[in-house]
Amino acid sequence: GENVEQHPSTLSVQEGDSAVIKCTYSDSASNYFPWYKQELGKRPQLIIDIRSNVGEKKDQRIAVTLNKTAKHFSLHITETQPEDSAVYFCAASAHYGGATNKLIFGTGTLLAVQP
Amino acid sequence: ETGVTQTPRHLVMGMTNKKSLKCEQHLGHNAMYWYKQSAKKPLELMFVYSLEERVENNSVPSRFSPECPNSSHLFLHLHTLQPEDSALYLCASSQDPSGANTGELFFGEGSRLTVL
């Protein structure tokens, strides 16, 4: 089955700096890669996602890149702000049709943005 | 209420108790999920229901018993749990991942379970 590894487990940056979180996956059939943000005591929420037919996707200060050959994908946050502090989870799934989305998650990265 | 709501938010139970977690989604989705979140471990998929039928069971111990009476409600019945079952249990829902819809999971706030 799918296995997703995520690094680093913790990341501390100064406000305004960039942050990069990397994930690798094992199942070459995986074709959907979302990133979720979970603030302390809150639910995980989708912040950006990418499908395997695209190499990069950007939404304001966040971007995700995908390298299908190497089976890794990364989250990039530029101009970090204190409100970016949270745990970030990557995930991967292979859509074979049907109504379900069987996401396999990474272990999470605790991002701390120092003011 | 909108989104995905879970009750109770916190639950403390002994190993011999029987309790249930409840999840309700108001998004019109047709799939629901139970995830377990433990410290320093990835979110673990436990059960998946599509159109009220269980389509996935990731080898979860039988002391966890899911129930999906309709597309809006999902329960997790707990019986004879162990202290290592203490965790945050997250419910989620999604719509068909087809076409432009990526099947985004919408999570509830979770039920924090402590087993004594």
Side-chain angles (χ1 to χ4, degrees):
Chain A
E2 176 65 280
N3 182 50
V4 177
E5 294 191 359
Q6 182 172 349
H7 300 281
S9 57
T10 60
L11 180 59
S12 180
V13 299
Q14 291 294 317
E15 182 176 358
D17 287 350
S18 296
V20 180
I21 303 170
K22 298 181 179 181
C23 288
T24 61
Y25 61 98
S26 60
D27 188 351
S28 57
S30 289
N31 56 12
Y32 174 62
F33 308 91
W35 286 88
Y36 283 79
K37 175 184 180 183
Q38 187 176 26
E39 297 178 6
L40 186 62
K42 300 286 184 65
R43 71 190 77 197
Q45 291 188 291
L46 180 73
I47 55 171
I48 194 168
D49 57 14
I50 192 169
R51 287 186 164 182
S52 58
N53 58 350
V54 176
E56 183 174 0
K57 185 177 178 181
K58 190 173 182 179
D59 183 4
Q60 299 183 332
R61 295 187 297 108
I62 58 173
V64 58
T65 58
L66 171 66
N67 183 327
K68 283 183 61 180
T69 303
K71 290 193 280 189
H72 65 69
F73 56 112
S74 301
L75 178 71
H76 304 254
I77 306 174
T78 58
E79 300 171 30
T80 53
Q81 301 168 4
E83 52 265 36
D84 294 329
S85 297
V87 178
Y88 291 81
F89 294 94
C90 64
S93 75
H95 288 170
Y96 297 114
T100 61
N101 191 354
K102 182 187 171 184
L103 284 177
I104 304 302
F105 284 86
T107 48
T109 296
L110 174 60
L111 173 65
V113 180
Q114 309 297 331
Chain B
E1 286 256 23
T2 58
V4 181
T5 55
Q6 290 186 240
T7 54
R9 295 292 311 279
H10 299 273
L11 178 62
V12 179
M13 58 187 290
M15 289 190 285
T16 58
N17 292 157
K18 287 184 180 180
K19 298 286 184 182
S20 295
L21 306 181
K22 178 183 177 182
C23 177
E24 186 173 359
Q25 60 99 359
H26 307 269
L27 300 169
H29 290 164
N30 55 13
M32 296 187 77
Y33 310 75
W34 279 116
Y35 276 87
K36 177 183 178 183
Q37 186 173 32
S38 306
K40 299 183 180 180
K41 295 179 76 173
L43 283 159
E44 300 173 59
L45 179 61
M46 300 176 71
F47 300 104
V48 182
Y49 275 83
S50 172
L51 301 173
E52 302 151 42
E53 289 192 21
R54 189 162 70 192
V55 299
E56 188 77 35
N57 175 359
N58 283 356
S59 302
V60 177
S62 59
R63 56 186 183 269
F64 294 92
S65 174
E67 178 189 1
C68 188
N70 54 62
S71 60
S72 299
H73 294 85
L74 184 66
F75 295 88
L76 187 62
H77 303 299
L78 315 171
H79 174 53
T80 322
L81 294 193
Q82 305 298 311
E84 59 265 29
D85 296 323
S86 299
L88 181 68
Y89 289 85
L90 288 162
C91 173
S93 69
S94 71
Q95 187 58 23
D96 275 347
S98 61
N101 183 1
T102 56
E104 174 185 352
L105 263 60
F106 289 80
F107 285 91
E109 298 278 8
S111 293
R112 174 71 62 186
L113 173 66
T114 302
V115 182
L116 302 177

Coordinates of all heavy atoms in Angstrom, one line a residue, chain B residues 60-112:
Chain B
V60 N -8.8 -2.5 11.6 CA -9.0 -1.9 12.9 C -9.5 -2.9 13.8 O -10.3 -3.8 13.5 CB -10.0 -0.7 12.7 CG1 -10.3 -0.1 14.1 CG2 -9.5 0.3 11.8
P61 N -9.1 -2.9 15.1 CA -9.5 -3.9 16.1 C -11.1 -3.9 16.2 O -11.7 -2.8 16.1 CB -8.9 -3.5 17.4 CG -7.6 -2.7 16.9 CD -8.0 -2.1 15.7
S62 N -11.6 -5.0 16.5 CA -13.1 -5.1 16.6 C -13.7 -4.4 17.7 O -14.9 -4.2 17.8 CB -13.5 -6.6 16.7 OG -12.9 -7.2 17.8
R63 N -12.9 -3.9 18.7 CA -13.4 -3.1 19.7 C -13.9 -1.7 19.2 O -14.5 -0.9 20.0 CB -12.4 -2.9 20.9 CG -11.1 -2.3 20.5 CD -10.1 -2.3 21.7 NE -8.8 -1.7 21.4 CZ -7.8 -2.4 20.9 NH1 -7.9 -3.7 20.6 NH2 -6.6 -1.7 20.6
F64 N -13.6 -1.4 18.0 CA -14.1 -0.2 17.3 C -15.1 -0.7 16.3 O -14.8 -1.5 15.4 CB -13.0 0.6 16.6 CG -12.0 1.2 17.5 CD1 -10.8 0.5 17.8 CD2 -12.2 2.5 18.0 CE1 -9.9 1.0 18.6 CE2 -11.2 3.0 18.8 CZ -10.1 2.3 19.1
S65 N -16.4 -0.2 16.4 CA -17.4 -0.7 15.5 C -18.1 0.5 14.8 O -18.8 1.3 15.5 CB -18.4 -1.5 16.3 OG -19.5 -1.9 15.4
P66 N -18.0 0.7 13.5 CA -18.6 1.9 12.9 C -20.0 1.6 12.5 O -20.4 0.4 12.3 CB -17.8 2.1 11.7 CG -17.3 0.7 11.3 CD -17.2 -0.1 12.6
E67 N -20.8 2.6 12.4 CA -22.2 2.5 11.9 C -22.5 3.7 11.1 O -22.2 4.9 11.5 CB -23.2 2.4 13.1 CG -24.6 2.3 12.7 CD -25.6 2.4 13.8 OE1 -25.1 2.6 15.0 OE2 -26.8 2.4 13.6
C68 N -23.1 3.5 9.9 CA -23.5 4.7 9.0 C -24.9 4.5 8.6 O -25.2 3.9 7.6 CB -22.6 4.7 7.8 SG -22.8 6.2 6.8
P69 N -25.9 5.0 9.4 CA -27.3 4.8 9.1 C -27.8 5.5 7.9 O -28.8 5.1 7.3 CB -28.0 5.3 10.4 CG -27.0 6.2 11.0 CD -25.7 5.8 10.6
N70 N -27.2 6.6 7.6 CA -27.5 7.4 6.4 C -26.3 8.2 5.9 O -25.3 8.3 6.6 CB -28.8 8.2 6.6 CG -28.6 9.2 7.8 OD1 -27.7 10.0 7.8 ND2 -29.5 9.0 8.8
S71 N -26.5 8.9 4.8 CA -25.3 9.6 4.3 C -24.9 10.8 5.1 O -23.8 11.3 4.8 CB -25.6 10.0 2.8 OG -26.7 10.9 2.8
S72 N -25.7 11.2 6.1 CA -25.3 12.4 6.9 C -24.8 12.0 8.2 O -24.2 12.9 8.9 CB -26.5 13.3 7.1 OG -27.0 13.7 5.8
H73 N -24.9 10.8 8.7 CA -24.5 10.4 10.0 C -23.5 9.3 10.0 O -23.7 8.3 9.3 CB -25.7 10.1 10.9 CG -26.7 11.2 11.1 ND1 -27.6 11.6 10.2 CD2 -26.7 12.1 12.2 CE1 -28.3 12.7 10.7 NE2 -27.7 13.0 11.9
L74 N -22.6 9.3 10.9 CA -21.6 8.3 11.1 C -21.3 8.2 12.6 O -21.2 9.2 13.3 CB -20.3 8.6 10.4 CG -19.2 7.6 10.4 CD1 -19.6 6.3 9.6 CD2 -17.9 8.2 9.7
F75 N -21.3 6.9 13.1 CA -21.0 6.7 14.5 C -19.8 5.8 14.6 O -19.4 5.0 13.7 CB -22.2 5.9 15.2 CG -23.4 6.8 15.2 CD1 -24.4 6.7 14.2 CD2 -23.7 7.5 16.3 CE1 -25.5 7.5 14.2 CE2 -24.9 8.3 16.4 CZ -25.8 8.3 15.4
L76 N -19.1 5.9 15.7 CA -18.0 4.9 16.1 C -18.3 4.4 17.5 O -18.2 5.2 18.4 CB -16.7 5.6 16.0 CG -15.5 4.7 16.2 CD1 -15.4 3.7 15.1 CD2 -14.2 5.5 16.2
H77 N -18.7 3.2 17.5 CA -19.1 2.5 18.8 C -17.8 2.0 19.4 O -17.0 1.3 18.7 CB -20.1 1.5 18.6 CG -21.4 2.0 18.0 ND1 -22.2 2.9 18.5 CD2 -22.0 1.6 16.8 CE1 -23.2 3.2 17.7 NE2 -23.1 2.4 16.7
L78 N -17.6 2.3 20.7 CA -16.4 1.9 21.4 C -16.7 0.9 22.5 O -17.6 1.1 23.3 CB -15.8 3.2 22.0 CG -15.7 4.4 21.1 CD1 -15.3 5.6 21.9 CD2 -14.8 4.1 20.0
H79 N -15.9 -0.2 22.6 CA -16.2 -1.2 23.6 C -14.9 -1.9 24.0 O -14.1 -2.3 23.2 CB -17.2 -2.2 23.0 CG -17.4 -3.4 23.9 ND1 -17.8 -3.3 25.2 CD2 -17.3 -4.7 23.7 CE1 -17.9 -4.5 25.8 NE2 -17.6 -5.4 24.8
T80 N -14.7 -1.9 25.3 CA -13.5 -2.6 25.9 C -12.2 -2.0 25.3 O -11.4 -2.8 24.8 CB -13.6 -4.1 25.7 OG1 -14.9 -4.6 25.8 CG2 -12.7 -4.9 26.7
L81 N -12.1 -0.7 25.3 CA -10.9 -0.1 24.8 C -9.7 -0.2 25.7 O -9.8 -0.6 26.9 CB -11.2 1.4 24.5 CG -12.2 1.7 23.4 CD1 -12.2 3.2 23.1 CD2 -12.0 0.9 22.2
Q82 N -8.5 0.0 25.1 CA -7.3 0.0 25.8 C -6.7 1.4 26.0 O -7.0 2.3 25.2 CB -6.3 -0.9 25.0 CG -6.8 -2.3 24.7 CD -7.0 -3.1 26.0 OE1 -6.2 -3.1 26.9 NE2 -8.2 -3.7 26.1
P83 N -5.8 1.6 27.0 CA -5.3 3.0 27.1 C -4.6 3.5 25.8 O -4.6 4.7 25.6 CB -4.2 2.8 28.2 CG -4.8 1.7 29.1 CD -5.5 0.7 28.1
E84 N -4.0 2.6 25.0 CA -3.3 3.0 23.8 C -4.3 3.5 22.7 O -3.9 4.0 21.7 CB -2.4 1.9 23.2 CG -3.1 0.6 22.9 CD -3.1 -0.4 24.0 OE1 -3.0 0.0 25.2 OE2 -3.1 -1.6 23.7
D85 N -5.6 3.3 23.0 CA -6.6 3.8 22.1 C -6.9 5.3 22.3 O -7.6 5.9 21.5 CB -7.9 3.0 22.2 CG -7.7 1.6 21.8 OD1 -7.0 1.3 20.8 OD2 -8.4 0.7 22.5
S86 N -6.3 5.9 23.4 CA -6.5 7.3 23.6 C -5.9 8.1 22.5 O -4.7 7.9 22.1 CB -5.8 7.7 24.9 OG -6.3 7.0 26.0
A87 N -6.7 9.0 21.9 CA -6.3 9.7 20.7 C -7.4 10.7 20.4 O -8.4 10.8 21.0 CB -6.0 8.8 19.6
L88 N -7.1 11.5 19.3 CA -8.2 12.4 18.8 C -8.8 11.6 17.6 O -8.1 11.2 16.7 CB -7.6 13.7 18.3 CG -8.5 14.7 17.7 CD1 -9.5 15.2 18.7 CD2 -7.8 15.9 17.0
Y89 N -10.1 11.4 17.6 CA -10.8 10.7 16.5 C -11.5 11.8 15.6 O -12.3 12.5 16.1 CB -11.7 9.7 17.1 CG -11.0 8.5 17.7 CD1 -10.5 8.6 19.0 CD2 -10.6 7.4 16.9 CE1 -9.7 7.6 19.5 CE2 -9.9 6.4 17.4 CZ -9.4 6.5 18.7 OH -8.7 5.4 19.3
L90 N -11.0 11.8 14.4 CA -11.5 12.8 13.4 C -12.5 12.1 12.4 O -12.2 11.1 11.9 CB -10.4 13.4 12.7 CG -9.5 14.4 13.5 CD1 -8.2 14.6 12.8 CD2 -10.2 15.7 13.7
C91 N -13.6 12.8 12.3 CA -14.5 12.4 11.2 C -14.3 13.3 10.0 O -14.0 14.5 10.2 CB -16.0 12.5 11.8 SG -17.3 12.2 10.5
A92 N -14.6 12.8 8.8 CA -14.5 13.6 7.6 C -15.5 13.2 6.6 O -16.0 12.1 6.7 CB -13.1 13.5 7.0
S93 N -15.8 14.1 5.7 CA -16.7 13.7 4.6 C -16.2 14.3 3.3 O -15.3 15.2 3.3 CB -18.1 14.3 4.9 OG -18.2 15.7 4.8
S94 N -16.6 13.7 2.2 CA -16.2 14.2 0.9 C -17.3 13.8 -0.2 O -18.2 13.0 0.1 CB -14.9 13.5 0.5 OG -15.0 12.2 0.2
Q95 N -17.1 14.5 -1.3 CA -18.0 14.2 -2.4 C -17.2 13.5 -3.5 O -16.0 13.5 -3.4 CB -18.6 15.5 -3.0 CG -19.6 15.4 -4.1 CD -20.8 14.6 -3.7 OE1 -21.1 14.5 -2.5 NE2 -21.5 14.0 -4.6
D96 N -17.9 12.8 -4.4 CA -17.2 12.1 -5.5 C -15.9 12.8 -6.0 O -16.0 13.9 -6.5 CB -18.1 11.9 -6.7 CG -19.0 10.7 -6.5 OD1 -18.7 9.9 -5.6 OD2 -20.0 10.6 -7.3
P97 N -14.8 12.1 -5.9 CA -13.6 12.7 -6.6 C -13.6 12.5 -8.1 O -13.0 11.6 -8.6 CB -12.4 12.0 -5.9 CG -13.0 10.7 -5.5 CD -14.4 10.9 -5.3
S98 N -14.4 13.3 -8.8 CA -14.5 13.1 -10.2 C -14.6 14.4 -10.9 O -15.0 15.4 -10.3 CB -15.8 12.3 -10.6 OG -17.0 13.0 -10.1
G99 N -14.1 14.5 -12.2 CA -14.1 15.7 -12.9 C -13.2 16.7 -12.2 O -12.1 16.4 -11.8
A100 N -13.7 17.9 -12.0 CA -13.0 19.0 -11.4 C -13.0 18.8 -9.9 O -12.2 19.5 -9.2 CB -13.5 20.3 -11.8
N101 N -13.8 18.0 -9.4 CA -13.9 17.8 -7.9 C -12.8 16.8 -7.5 O -12.8 15.7 -7.9 CB -15.3 17.2 -7.6 CG -15.5 17.1 -6.1 OD1 -14.6 17.4 -5.3 ND2 -16.6 16.6 -5.7
T102 N -11.9 17.3 -6.6 CA -10.8 16.5 -6.2 C -11.2 15.6 -5.0 O -10.3 14.9 -4.5 CB -9.6 17.4 -5.8 OG1 -10.0 18.3 -4.8 CG2 -9.1 18.1 -7.0
G103 N -12.4 15.7 -4.5 CA -12.8 14.8 -3.4 C -12.2 15.4 -2.1 O -11.8 14.6 -1.2
E104 N -12.0 16.7 -1.9 CA -11.5 17.3 -0.7 C -12.2 16.7 0.5 O -13.4 16.6 0.6 CB -11.6 18.8 -0.8 CG -11.2 19.5 0.5 CD -11.4 21.0 0.5 OE1 -11.8 21.5 -0.6 OE2 -11.3 21.6 1.5
L105 N -11.4 16.4 1.5 CA -11.9 15.9 2.8 C -12.2 17.1 3.7 O -11.3 18.0 3.9 CB -11.0 15.0 3.5 CG -11.2 13.5 3.4 CD1 -11.1 13.1 1.9 CD2 -10.2 12.7 4.2
F106 N -13.4 17.2 4.2 CA -13.8 18.2 5.2 C -13.8 17.5 6.6 O -14.6 16.6 6.8 CB -15.1 18.8 4.8 CG -15.1 19.7 3.6 CD1 -15.1 19.1 2.3 CD2 -15.0 21.1 3.7 CE1 -15.1 19.9 1.2 CE2 -15.0 21.9 2.6 CZ -15.0 21.3 1.3
F107 N -13.0 18.0 7.5 CA -12.9 17.3 8.8 C -13.8 18.0 9.8 O -14.1 19.2 9.7 CB -11.4 17.4 9.3 CG -10.5 16.4 8.6 CD1 -9.8 16.8 7.5 CD2 -10.4 15.1 9.1 CE1 -9.0 15.9 6.8 CE2 -9.5 14.3 8.5 CZ -8.8 14.6 7.3
G108 N -14.2 17.2 10.8 CA -14.8 17.8 12.0 C -13.7 18.2 13.0 O -12.5 18.1 12.7
E109 N -14.1 18.8 14.1 CA -13.2 19.2 15.1 C -12.5 18.1 15.9 O -11.5 18.3 16.6 CB -13.9 20.2 16.1 CG -14.5 21.4 15.5 CD -13.4 22.5 15.3 OE1 -12.2 22.3 15.5 OE2 -13.8 23.7 14.9
G110 N -13.1 16.9 15.8 CA -12.6 15.8 16.5 C -13.2 15.5 17.9 O -13.7 16.4 18.5
S111 N -13.0 14.3 18.3 CA -13.4 13.8 19.6 C -12.2 13.4 20.3 O -11.6 12.4 19.9 CB -14.5 12.7 19.6 OG -15.7 13.2 19.0
R112 N -11.8 14.1 21.4 CA -10.6 13.7 22.2 C -11.0 12.6 23.2 O -11.8 12.8 24.1 CB -10.1 14.9 22.9 CG -8.9 14.6 23.9 CD -7.6 14.3 23.2 NE -7.2 15.4 22.3 CZ -6.1 15.3 21.5 NH1 -5.5 14.1 21.4 NH2 -5.7 16.3 20.8

